[in-house]
Amino acid sequence: MADYYEANAQNFIAATQSVDMSELRARFLAQLPQMPGGQCRILDAGTGSGRDARAFRFAGYEVEAFDASPAMVQAATLFSGVPVRHLSFEEFQWEQSFDGIWACASLLHVARADLPAVVQSLADHLVCGGILYVSFKFGTGNRRKDGHDFTDMTEETLSALLDELPSLRQVETWRSEDRRPDRKKDIWLNALLRKT
């Protein structure tokens, strides 16, 4: 998957860096646990162009980020002002935990068979009551498009995945249109999951 983004980094960045995701970020931020006297820590998991890491940083949050593509790591670090680590979901480990983890359009590249372990690893790095945001293309099964693989989700298949992850409970699930002008027909499944 990282190979695709290496070869298409500039096109991907141009298509995604200025997309307005403020409404989705606001829904996520509203669910973060209230930290008395402390600053919320957010991990942008699979940051891509660094768009959301930058927005969270400018909003005053303590932000860390990673991505599997070296080209994205470099571009996102420059754009967001956050030192982005080169790391895949399958390799994910971190020294500390987070109040929120933002996995926007990134877990969809993880094979369905690997998703329970990957999402559990993310959940293990959330504080109790912390929030995980995930988004997948709406659909069923696995597919290959434009040289990269997707795991699509419906409300039912996401619920089935969560049945394998007892430490996470569903707070909210909703569908949305793609925010890119040329992709309005693409539908996304979004979910906020809380660690219990």
Side-chain angles (χ1 to χ4, degrees):
M1 185 49 51
D3 291 344
Y4 171 85
Y5 288 105
E6 287 302 292
N8 297 279
Q10 292 310 312
N11 289 339
F12 179 81
I13 290 166
T16 61
Q17 206 164 60
S18 63
V19 174
D20 181 7
M21 301 294 282
S22 55
E23 181 187 326
L24 295 177
R25 287 192 301 264
R27 286 173 94 150
F28 166 72
L29 294 173
Q31 292 292 336
L32 289 178
Q34 299 302 310
M35 306 305 291
Q39 186 181 38
C40 281
R41 293 174 41 79
I42 294 173
L43 176 67
D44 189 350
T47 189
S49 66
R51 173 199 63 219
D52 299 317
R54 176 186 171 103
F56 292 136
R57 184 174 73 84
F58 282 174
Y61 293 92
E62 188 178 332
V63 184
E64 302 204 38
F66 72 89
D67 201 275
S69 159
M72 291 298 167
V73 167
Q74 183 178 9
T77 297
L78 289 172
F79 184 68
S80 68
V82 173
V84 178
R85 295 188 193 181
H86 178 222
L87 195 64
S88 72
F89 278 108
E90 292 78 8
E91 302 165 320
F92 174 73
Q93 285 189 332
W94 219 270
E95 305 80 47
Q96 65 269 67
S97 54
F98 297 90
D99 304 295
I101 298 178
W102 175 261
C104 180
S106 53
L107 286 169
L108 75 171
H109 295 310
V110 176
R112 174 60 181 89
D114 298 331
L115 270 173
V118 165
V119 176
Q120 184 60 59
S121 180
L122 293 174
D124 290 344
H125 288 80
L126 279 171
V127 299
C128 188
I131 284 287
L132 171 62
Y133 167 78
V134 299
S135 61
F136 296 88
K137 290 281 185 85
F138 183 78
T140 55
N142 300 313
R143 62 188 168 86
R144 187 166 184 80
K145 182 181 178 188
D146 299 332
H148 53 303
D149 297 314
F150 290 91
T151 298
D152 294 338
M153 286 279 171
T154 63
E155 290 86 349
E156 292 75 21
T157 56
L158 180 61
S159 289
L161 171 64
L162 291 175
D163 287 344
E164 302 177 58
L165 300 163
S167 67
L168 290 172
R169 74 171 174 78
Q170 206 165 297
V171 175
E172 184 181 10
T173 305
W174 72 98
R175 297 181 198 179
S176 61
E177 288 182 348
D178 199 298
R179 301 284 199 247
R180 294 168 288 183
D182 61 332
R183 303 278 184 98
K184 287 292 186 188
K185 291 183 179 176
D186 289 352
I187 302 299
W188 290 85
L189 181 69
N190 308 271
L192 291 169
L193 312 172
R194 190 177 302 280
K195 184 173 180 179
T196 56

